[in-house]
């Protein structure tokens, strides 16, 4: 039997502590905003701004703690995203479990989609509802997203729908394109690189490469819809063409960014 | 399948080929919209709007929700246009 080295044990404990802290942070934010939920004299827009700020700060602190403990490394090159006019859709590839944490850490006010289970939960539900997020199990998903984009919010979506599989082939579903075409919203592409691969679908949370995986977030130029596709076509065609365009965009991007062999 | 249903199927096939860039040979009665033809709920709305232009019947999205296969689409439209003709 192979014994774990001291550094591996240290890393394991750090990872456990991090997951514990994340849970604790989420719970305390949950309880605080659960209590705030029925308070009548604070407008829902104010609550939304507060809560998104809390989530942003929480995620930012969390990745800094993880970096301090040597669990991850990261670098951001996202100026184009921070400066982009509001009302855009942020899309990103989805290599790891913590992609959304990194994206929330660099975006102060960003709208996300959440799972039905999170939406319906007593504590997390209060947070995500007041944060003005969108549940993914509603039929009103597209109208809700459209209204938010038109009101100038930025919405994050992972067009792959789930984490990238181990073969690293990027395959997009049409949801992001449906949304973009519905409101003619510009798209902000973000590339997430994680080397060496970790926290993929099916990976164990404690299976971390030595020194921690290095994350790199890069944002591209804001893509207007008519730069990507012919917007005079019938909508079903636009959905499909845009999905193909974006998929190709990412495949090319990944190829350019990959280290040369 | 009677002539009217054949006509409806031809219409659906034409729409699907044109709008969704599918291959005409894929559009057979037993083909499932979602699993086989990759037509989701958003597409279904667009398909419905387009079919209503060529086959003049009143159909609501909720009536269309039960639809699973191409055969179901044909059935719904055949039934509705039969009703519409009975009224007229």
């Amino acid at each position: 039997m192979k014994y774990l080295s001291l550094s591996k044990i240290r890393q394991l404990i750090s990872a456990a502590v991090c997951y514990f802290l994340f849970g604790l942070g989420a719970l305390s934010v949950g309880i605080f905003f659960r209590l705030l939920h029925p308070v009548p004299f604070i407008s829902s827009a104010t609550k939304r701004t507060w809560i998104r700020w809390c989530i942003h700060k929480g995620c930012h602190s969390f990745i800094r703690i993880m970096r301090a403990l040597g669990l991850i490394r990261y670098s951001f090159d996202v100026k184009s995203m921070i400066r982009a006019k509001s009302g855009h859709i942020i899309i990103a590839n989805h290599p790891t479990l913590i992609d959304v944490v990194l994206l929330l850490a660099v975006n102060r006010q960003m709208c996300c989609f959440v799972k039905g289970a999170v939406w319906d939960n007593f504590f997390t539900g209060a947070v995500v509802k007041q944060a003005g997020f969108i549940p993914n199990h509603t039929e009103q998903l597209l109208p809700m997203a459209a209204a938010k984009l038109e009101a100038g919010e930025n919405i994050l979506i992972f067009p792959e729908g789930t984490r990238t599989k181990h073969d690293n082939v990027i395959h997009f579903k049409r949801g992001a394109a449906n949304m973009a075409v519905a409101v003619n919203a510009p798209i902000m592409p973000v590339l997430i690189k994680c080397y060496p691969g970790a926290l993929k679908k099916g990976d164990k949370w404690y299976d971390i490469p030595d020194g921690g995986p290095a994350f790199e977030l890069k944002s591209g130029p804001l893509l207007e819809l008519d730069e990507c596709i012919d917007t005079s076509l019938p909508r079903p065609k636009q959905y499909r063409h845009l999905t193909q365009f974006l998929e190709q965009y990412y495949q090319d991007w990944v190829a350019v960014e990959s280290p040369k062999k | 399948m009677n002539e009217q249903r054949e006509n409806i199927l031809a219409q659906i096939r034409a729409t699907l080929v044109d709008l969704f860039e599918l291959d005409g040979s894929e559009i057979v009665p037993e083909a499932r919209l979602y699993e086989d033809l990759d037509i989701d709920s958003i597409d279904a709305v667009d398909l419905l709007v387009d079919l209503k232009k060529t086959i003049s019947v009143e159909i609501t999205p909720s009536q269309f929700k039960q639809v699973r296969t191409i055969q179901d689409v044909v059935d719904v439209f055949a039934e509705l246009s039969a009703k519409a003709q009975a009224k007229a």
Side-chain angles (χ1 to χ4, degrees):
Chain A
M1 196 185 140
K2 218 174 91 184
Y3 289 95
L4 291 171
S5 70
L6 209 60
S7 68
K8 208 70 195 165
I9 293 169
R10 195 186 150 274
Q11 193 185 45
L12 260 174
I13 294 169
S14 304
V17 165
C18 272
Y19 278 92
F20 176 74
L21 281 178
F22 188 82
L24 195 67
L27 187 68
S28 46
V29 171
I31 292 172
F32 178 73
F33 283 99
R34 178 72 252 174
L35 296 173
L36 193 71
H37 191 47
V39 176
F41 50 84
I42 306 168
S43 77
S44 58
T46 308
K47 285 180 191 165
R48 192 186 75 198
T49 310
W50 286 1
I51 217 160
R52 286 190 183 175
W53 185 86
C54 277
I55 292 170
H56 159 68
K57 282 292 170 203
C59 288
H60 198 214
S61 312
F62 185 62
I63 62 171
R64 287 170 79 160
I65 292 169
M66 284 201 293
R67 183 168 67 178
L69 290 172
L71 292 171
I72 59 168
R73 289 165 287 173
Y74 56 79
S75 67
F76 298 131
D77 176 10
V78 292
K79 283 192 204 76
S80 66
M81 175 163 65
I82 305 306
R83 289 181 189 151
K85 64 175 182 196
S86 60
H88 58 253
I89 298 168
I90 299 165
I91 63 168
N93 58 323
H94 200 348
T96 81
L97 181 67
I98 61 167
D99 299 340
V100 71
V101 178
L102 293 162
L103 281 160
L104 281 164
V106 288
N107 282 285
R108 281 200 192 96
Q109 297 281 323
M110 181 174 69
C111 182
C112 303
F113 291 97
V114 295
K115 277 187 188 158
V118 174
W119 187 264
D120 296 328
N121 180 284
F122 184 73
F123 286 107
T124 55
V127 176
V128 294
K129 279 172 198 156
Q130 291 177 94
F133 289 173
I134 306 170
N136 73 353
H137 63 337
T138 167
E139 291 196 352
Q140 294 305 307
L141 188 143
L142 198 60
M144 276 177 88
K148 285 175 184 297
L149 285 167
E150 277 165 349
E153 290 186 41
N154 306 325
I155 302 184
L156 167 70
I157 183 166
F158 295 105
E160 288 170 278
T162 183
R163 273 177 273 164
T164 317
K165 297 208 173 59
H166 275 265
D167 58 12
N168 287 326
V169 176
I170 291 181
H171 178 73
F172 283 179
K173 293 192 185 344
R174 288 200 300 272
N178 290 348
M179 209 159 79
V181 170
V183 275
N184 190 17
I187 294 168
M188 169 52 63
V190 177
L191 186 69
I192 301 172
K193 292 200 285 177
C194 174
Y195 188 82
L199 301 170
K200 284 186 191 168
K201 195 117 191 151
D203 282 356
K204 296 283 181 282
W205 61 269
Y206 49 77
D207 207 358
I208 305 159
D210 290 330
F215 283 89
E216 209 182 320
L217 260 68
K218 247 183 182 170
S219 64
L222 193 66
L223 303 168
E224 294 291 343
L225 222 49
D226 52 13
E227 296 168 23
C228 309
I229 51 162
D230 179 355
T231 50
S232 65
L233 290 170
R235 290 201 311 192
K237 279 195 185 183
Q238 290 190 45
Y239 305 146
R240 283 161 174 76
H241 291 185
L242 185 58
T243 305
Q244 284 157 14
F245 176 91
L246 294 173
E247 214 174 76
Q248 191 61 50
Y249 189 95
Y250 270 82
Q251 282 163 5
D252 295 347
W253 203 0
V254 168
V256 171
E257 293 282 337
S258 305
K260 302 280 180 296
K261 275 173 197 152
Chain B
M1 200 184 277
N2 62 27
E3 196 190 331
Q4 188 213 9
R5 279 167 185 258
E6 287 289 354
N7 284 340
I8 293 175
L9 179 60
Q11 194 57 58
I12 292 168
R13 185 175 286 135
T15 301
L16 288 177
V17 169
D18 182 43
L19 218 54
F20 297 92
E21 304 184 332
L22 290 164
D23 191 51
S25 61
E26 290 178 272
I27 300 151
V28 289
E30 54 275 14
R32 291 166 300 175
L33 295 185
Y34 184 71
E35 294 88 345
D36 300 331
L37 302 177
D38 192 25
I39 292 172
D40 59 24
S41 58
I42 306 288
D43 290 329
V45 176
D46 287 290
L47 174 63
L48 195 58
V49 170
D50 205 82
L51 285 175
K52 276 203 301 202
K53 276 189 235 159
T54 46
I55 309 169
S56 60
V57 291
E58 281 307 311
I59 180 169
T60 60
S62 63
Q63 278 174 298
F64 205 71
K65 225 175 244 165
Q66 319 301 327
V67 164
R68 291 281 171 275
T69 64
I70 292 291
Q71 184 65 55
D72 296 342
V73 185
V74 175
D75 288 344
V76 167
F77 275 90
E79 237 171 77
L80 288 170
S81 59
K83 268 187 205 158
Q85 276 163 12
K87 260 189 214 166

